[in-house]
């Protein structure tokens, strides 16, 4: 899957983020600096939104909807 992050004021593309499998869920951290996605490849992946760099990929056989705690120290997924 691919996700295109846009600047809502300018209407321009800021960053492309590419994942594996089929996208299931997206969640931004409260500060907007991280993006988590769950997918059909049984994982949750976290990216930096500014650079598009993958920060971490977490194997989750039952990955569902993703969510961050406000302090960004924990990302959760439910199935």
């Amino acid at each position: 899957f691919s996700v295109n992050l846009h600047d809502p004021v300018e209407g321009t593309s800021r960053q492309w983020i590419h994942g594996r499998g089929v996208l299931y869920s997206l969640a931004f951290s409260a500060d907007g600096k991280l993006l988590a996605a769950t997918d059909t490849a049984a994982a949750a992946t976290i990216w930096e939104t500014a650079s598009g760099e993958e920060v971490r990929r977490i194997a989750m056989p039952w990955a569902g909807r993703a969510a961050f705690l406000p302090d960004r120290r924990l990302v959760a997924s439910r199935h």
Side-chain angles (χ1 to χ4, degrees):
F1 66 86
S2 296
V3 175
N4 190 353
L5 302 179
H6 288 268
D7 181 319
V9 175
E10 300 293 324
T12 57
S13 175
R14 294 185 61 207
Q15 188 63 253
W16 278 95
I17 292 176
H18 304 283
R20 300 169 185 93
V22 176
L23 176 65
Y24 182 73
S25 175
L26 290 172
F28 284 96
S29 61
D31 62 8
K33 293 182 179 180
L34 298 175
L35 176 66
T38 56
D39 58 44
T40 58
T45 307
I46 302 170
W47 293 271
E48 290 182 345
T49 56
S51 67
E53 181 182 338
E54 185 177 304
V55 175
R56 177 154 294 134
R57 184 166 170 80
I58 305 162
M60 292 183 164
W62 304 104
R65 292 189 183 122
F68 279 95
L69 284 180
D71 65 4
R72 297 184 344 173
R73 294 186 59 169
L74 182 67
V75 63
S77 173
R78 75 162 191 89
H79 66 280

